[in-house]
Amino acid sequence: MQSWSSTPVPRVAGQPRPLRLFDTATGEVRPTAPGPTAGMYVCGITPYDATHLGHAATYLAFDLVHRVWLDNGHEVHYVQNVTDVDDPLLERAARDQDDWVVLAMRETALFREDMVALRVLPPRQFIGAVEAIPEIVESIAKLIAAGVAYRVDDPEYPDVYFDKDATGRFGYESNYSTETMLGFFAERGGDPDRAGKRHPLDALLWRMARPGEPSWPSELGEGRPGWHIECSAIALNRLGSGFDVQGGGSDLIFPHHEYSAAHAEAQTGEHPFARHYVHSGMIGLDGEKMSKSRGNLVFVSKLRAEKVDPGAIRLALFAGHYRSDRAYTDELLAGAKQRLATWRRAAALPAAQSAEATVARLRDHLGDDLDTPSALAALDAWAAEALSTGGTEQSAPTLFRAAVDSLLGVEL
Ligand code: 5CA
Ligand code: ZN
């Protein structure tokens, strides 16, 4: 698929700081240690509705990872998928008597526009599930050949499933108990009660064609892919085993990222699939997780139509830590607009006190598991002083502006 256009990222004077991130698998903040090229895969949208602020928060968190790595002189090989065929998309299309292909294309196009407006740096490869079907089929065939995938005993629909114990490490990514896994599996697209499975937690790899459902011919028989194998194959084929960051919202910790990793590791025999599993918290509205199924959504496109500055949307979402579940409120956005206006006034001054120590603090905070609340506070302090006592350094407002642009993606 076509990715989206990039905005330039200015170089910022001073010393970059390496990036440490919380890893779900080990439960600790650890240094990322990319080579010259850092590899990142972030799970993309299922395009049946517009991008809401929860999605935006997740892509903005990983945009900061991207930017901090760039600041450290790494190239970034960023890959993102689009789940452009899956049950929720087909269900929405059926409900609205819409063509699922057209629905997916329309919402993906809107997503790209939202990402450009929010100045999210684009993935190098933006890959749809449909276009990846041949490579997904190849992955599934390898799992069958390795004896870790099997067909359910159903003559009508002999779907292919994955033996969750294939690697002997199942559970290492989420660290959840079997009971917790079973709960999330049922809640998040799994089918614990499917007759003929060897274990309730075995996951679907290939669904044989059903009447009225889209399907593709393949060596596995006419059908369509399961969800986890999609991201597993797309990531593995572009980034290889042991890439730096596998990312997404915390609702993907289980089952999605556990199985994506297990599918890949069972094929390659290599561990780990990703060196860090990084998860952003859930954005809520009115006390509940913002989600398409609940319908309690604030869309990025709606805020854009209301002429809300995308910089204010970024700052509203950066006001809380990326890992914390947090609420979106009108007050949060109002506060972000005010902060943006103050920073703009400070950046427009002809001269100010030095910004070097502030930029160092910004880098320190971002390097420390993307601590944006502390980073924003440091920038607030500089702006307040610049606007009150000020200073005579003419390059200071320019340095401040470049650092906010490059590291936070906010244009002043
Ligand atoms: N297509 C799959 C991933 S392969 C999917 O989960 N799509 S999605 O459209 O439901 O979500 C897209 C991304 O936004 C995922 O990373 C998901 O974890 C994240 N996300 C969804 N809802 C929220 C929310 N309320 N807050 C923060 N992130 C969210
Ligand atoms: Zn995914």
Side-chain angles (χ1 to χ4, degrees):
M1 279 192 171
Q2 192 193 327
S3 188
W4 59 89
S5 57
S6 188
T7 35
V9 182
R11 285 211 151 276
V12 184
Q15 188 64 36
R17 299 288 193 284
L19 177 62
R20 296 160 53 79
L21 283 176
F22 183 86
D23 168 31
T24 303
T26 54
E28 57 189 15
V29 176
R30 294 193 293 110
T32 62
T37 300
M40 173 161 76
Y41 185 92
V42 178
C43 281
I45 54 161
T46 305
Y48 67 87
D49 211 338
T51 313
H52 60 62
L53 286 177
H55 304 134
T58 289
Y59 298 115
L60 288 173
F62 292 96
D63 191 52
L64 295 180
V65 172
H66 198 157
R67 288 170 183 276
V68 173
W69 276 339
L70 289 177
D71 189 44
N72 278 274
H74 301 288
E75 299 258 339
V76 180
H77 185 173
Y78 178 20
V79 181
Q80 187 179 129
N81 71 306
V82 178
T83 307
D84 58 358
V85 60
D86 201 7
D87 295 340
L89 174 72
L90 300 176
E91 283 159 17
R92 175 63 63 91
R95 188 197 80 179
D96 297 348
Q97 296 186 319
D98 213 345
D99 181 324
W100 66 273
V101 177
V102 176
L103 174 63
M105 281 175 61
R106 193 170 63 226
E107 296 304 345
T108 305
L110 186 60
F111 173 73
R112 284 194 196 92
E113 281 177 28
D114 289 339
M115 292 297 105
V116 171
L118 288 173
R119 303 179 94 228
V120 173
L121 298 174
R124 191 186 289 184
Q125 287 155 309
F126 188 49
I127 310 290
V130 171
E131 65 182 326
I133 284 177
E135 61 186 282
I136 296 171
V137 166
E138 210 174 290
S139 276
I140 298 170
K142 280 188 200 155
L143 292 170
I144 295 174
V148 295
Y150 63 92
R151 286 185 188 272
V152 287
D153 187 14
D154 174 348
E156 196 179 12
Y157 299 122
D159 302 329
V160 182
Y161 278 83
F162 176 75
D163 170 2
K164 72 169 183 67
D165 293 319
T167 59
R169 293 180 191 274
F170 191 73
Y172 87 85
E173 182 269 339
S174 63
N175 295 297
Y176 289 158
S177 67
T178 304
E179 198 187 343
T180 304
M181 288 182 185
L182 278 166
F184 283 140
F185 190 75
E187 208 178 285
R188 298 172 180 167
D191 53 357
D193 301 326
R194 172 76 205 274
K197 290 208 299 184
R198 294 182 191 159
H199 191 284
L201 285 175
D202 287 352
L204 178 70
L205 291 168
W206 188 254
R207 178 175 164 91
M208 301 301 282
R210 311 292 203 264
E213 288 187 11
S215 61
W216 288 263
S218 83
E219 64 185 270
L220 305 169
E222 180 94 17
R224 64 179 164 101
W227 174 29
H228 318 304
I229 192 66
E230 166 193 339
C231 287
S232 184
I234 294 173
L236 187 62
N237 290 336
R238 287 161 190 77
L239 298 169
S241 287
F243 61 91
D244 295 288
V245 164
Q246 158 76 310
S250 59
D251 56 340
L252 301 185
I253 294 174
F254 193 90
H256 190 51
H257 287 172
E258 192 74 63
Y259 289 91
S260 301
H263 294 341
E265 292 176 17
Q267 270 173 76
T268 61
E270 289 164 23
H271 170 84
F273 176 51
R275 284 148 72 175
H276 268 79
Y277 296 91
V278 180
H279 296 103
S280 50
M282 290 292 111
I283 300 296
L285 187 72
D286 307 329
E288 291 220 67
K289 172 189 159 184
M290 205 179 273
S291 75
K292 289 178 263 204
S293 49
R294 286 198 179 88
N296 57 339
L297 306 174
V298 177
F299 293 118
V300 174
S301 42
K302 180 170 166 280
L303 294 179
R304 286 201 287 123
E306 290 167 6
K307 303 277 183 251
V308 174
D309 192 306
I313 301 176
R314 288 185 81 108
L315 291 181
L317 293 167
F318 291 158
H321 190 260
Y322 82 98
R323 278 202 285 129
S324 59
D325 293 342
R326 53 208 197 275
Y328 174 78
T329 58
D330 292 341
E331 295 74 48
L332 190 69
L333 184 62
K337 285 179 184 169
Q338 215 163 43
R339 172 175 268 142
L340 185 63
T342 306
W343 288 8
R344 280 197 175 133
R345 272 191 288 128
L349 291 168
Q353 80 285 6
S354 167
E356 279 172 29
T358 302
V359 170
R361 245 172 262 140
L362 168 64
R363 283 178 160 134
D364 277 339
H365 292 311
L366 290 179
D368 178 18
D369 196 27
L370 307 176
D371 180 0
T372 52
S374 302
L376 300 198
L379 295 165
D380 285 343
W382 184 88
E385 192 185 332
L387 290 166
S388 55
T389 46
T392 55
E393 223 178 89
Q394 290 177 0
S395 61
T398 316
L399 175 61
F400 177 79
R401 181 189 290 117
V404 170
D405 182 349
S406 176
L407 291 159
L408 292 180
V410 174
E411 196 174 21
L412 297 182

